[in-house]
Amino acid sequence: MDVSGLVWAGTLVALTAILLVDLLIIGRRPHEPSVRESSLWVGFYVALALVFGAGVWLASGPSAAGQFYTGWLTEYSLSVDNLFVFVIIMARFAVPRQYQQKVLLVGIVLALVMRGGFIAAGAALISQFSWVFYIFGAFLIYTAINLARQGEPDEDEFTENVLIRWSRKALPISKDYDGAKLTTHENGRRLFTPMLIVMIAIGTTDLIFALDSIPAIFGITQEPYLVFTANVFALMGLRQLYFLLGGLLDRLIYLSYGLAVVLGFIGVKLVLEALADNNLPFINNGEHVGWAPHIPIWLSLTVILGTLLVATIASLVKSSRDRRRMLAEARR
């Protein structure tokens, strides 16, 4: 793709404007959104991504559009997985429901900034060193194995990282929240509120998830414009999706296994592409590996979409059976 500076600027301005609207809505009226409100916003952002992909199709052809849709779907599913950890953080720090929107929006902005930096670094590395695909692929396979072993985290497994523990000890923190403020006055002293610790927890979590998501998207497309926009559209609407899904997150018990398959598939795909373009002297004498196949984008999209559908349906069926069994046992 040959994306001009004008297109980049226009895209950044438009996406920033949408985020500012979100900020204004929360700033003027902090509240817990209803199911209807959340559904409308999530539907709007999904439709926006579909329309954007159609625009990519018209401007650059079906291959580029397929890369965008596949990348967006992958990043969206990984973003949904982020929500599990966000739920745990909100519960652990007892964040009032009406202020959780602000926490989520700040988390999304932080994720965008971090991913933007990782995207720029990843694109620069790939343009200079094709062997980076070996590292990305091995990292994704390793992540997939860990995710399959551990499953979804729960509140008992959540441990505060070094930065959170340091902040608790080094900073003067009040016992109670003061709305959504980061600081408050207490007995004539200015103190930080627990909201600051929550923001630190969300920010460090975003950093960890960015380490997984960026290699995954580069396994689908190496176009920086598509990598960036797929990430942005995947994060848009995540705040409303958090409230829309609600208790449904607890029922997606097989999502982690589905994501493990997706990450493992992309990791293998990256390694195969690295072998096909190999120039490392200690692998096949520095020659390209002829048997390494190129996995087309339509196959990647089919595998990813099919895996996520199977994981979601299996999760809902299993949760429904477990609930019926518990009700039956309670009646005895």
Side-chain angles (χ1 to χ4, degrees):
M1 290 180 65
D2 184 16
V3 182
S4 67
L6 184 61
V7 172
W8 268 105
T11 303
L12 291 172
V13 168
L15 296 178
T16 301
I18 295 172
L19 284 175
L20 287 176
V21 170
D22 249 354
L23 281 169
L24 289 174
I25 291 174
I26 295 175
R28 293 182 60 183
R29 191 169 65 92
H31 66 290
E32 179 182 348
S34 64
V35 172
R36 181 177 182 276
E37 179 185 346
S38 298
S39 300
L40 290 174
W41 275 104
V42 171
F44 168 74
Y45 283 124
V46 170
L48 200 63
L50 295 176
V51 170
F52 180 84
V56 173
W57 186 310
L58 293 175
S60 302
S63 177
Q67 292 174 38
F68 169 77
Y69 284 131
T70 306
W72 169 65
L73 180 63
T74 301
E75 294 298 309
Y76 200 76
S77 60
L78 289 171
S79 296
V80 171
D81 195 47
N82 291 19
L83 294 182
F84 284 97
V85 181
F86 288 170
V87 167
I88 293 171
I89 291 173
M90 300 293 189
R92 172 62 68 89
F93 295 102
V95 181
R97 292 283 289 182
Q98 66 268 31
Y99 303 122
Q100 290 182 8
Q101 283 208 80
K102 180 177 181 179
V103 175
L104 290 168
L105 187 57
V106 170
I108 290 169
V109 172
L110 288 173
L112 284 171
V113 173
M114 292 178 186
R115 293 188 187 195
F118 280 123
I119 288 168
L125 282 172
I126 290 170
S127 65
Q128 296 294 323
F129 311 105
S130 60
W131 50 262
V132 170
F133 281 147
Y134 286 114
I135 299 175
F136 282 1
F139 178 74
L140 288 179
I141 294 171
Y142 170 78
T143 303
I145 293 172
N146 281 343
L147 188 57
R149 286 178 176 174
Q150 297 171 5
E152 295 297 346
D154 57 40
E155 189 171 354
D156 294 333
E157 295 176 348
F158 178 79
T159 56
E160 296 183 359
N161 58 48
V162 174
L163 185 57
I164 296 176
R165 294 197 299 270
W166 176 86
S167 300
R168 282 186 180 279
K169 293 178 181 179
L171 301 176
I173 306 293
S174 64
K175 292 183 179 180
D176 301 314
Y177 289 94
D178 185 6
K181 297 177 182 177
L182 296 179
T183 62
T184 186
H185 285 281
E186 194 173 285
N187 298 324
R189 296 177 60 204
R190 178 174 288 276
L191 303 175
F192 293 103
T193 69
M195 188 64 74
L196 176 65
I197 305 299
V198 175
M199 296 297 185
I200 293 173
I202 291 290
T204 51
T205 299
D206 283 333
L207 177 61
I208 294 170
F209 277 110
L211 292 174
D212 294 339
S213 65
I214 297 307
I217 188 67
F218 274 116
I220 295 166
T221 177
Q222 287 83 57
E223 292 289 347
Y225 183 77
L226 297 180
V227 171
F228 176 74
T229 51
N231 268 276
V232 172
F233 279 106
L235 290 170
M236 282 184 169
L238 192 62
R239 172 175 62 85
Q240 292 87 352
L241 188 64
Y242 171 89
F243 292 98
L244 178 62
L245 292 180
L248 183 61
L249 283 173
D250 295 332
R251 299 176 61 189
L252 298 177
I253 55 179
Y254 294 133
L255 179 62
S256 60
Y257 300 107
L259 290 174
V261 172
V262 169
L263 292 177
F265 170 78
I266 297 174
V268 171
K269 181 176 182 290
L270 275 171
V271 172
L272 290 175
E273 290 186 3
L275 289 171
D277 298 329
N278 177 65
N279 55 15
L280 294 179
F282 52 87
I283 298 178
N284 198 36
N285 296 319
E287 299 294 330
H288 305 326
V289 178
W291 56 263
H294 171 71
I295 299 177
I297 196 66
W298 66 265
L299 180 58
S300 298
L301 181 58
T302 302
V303 170
I304 292 169
L305 182 59
T307 300
L308 294 175
L309 282 175
V310 169
T312 301
I313 293 172
S315 296
L316 296 179
V317 170
K318 177 69 164 55
S319 298
S320 180
R321 287 178 179 174
D322 290 345
R323 184 171 298 180
R324 287 198 300 268
R325 186 175 66 252
M326 291 175 62
L327 289 174
E329 291 176 353
R331 290 172 183 155
R332 293 175 184 175

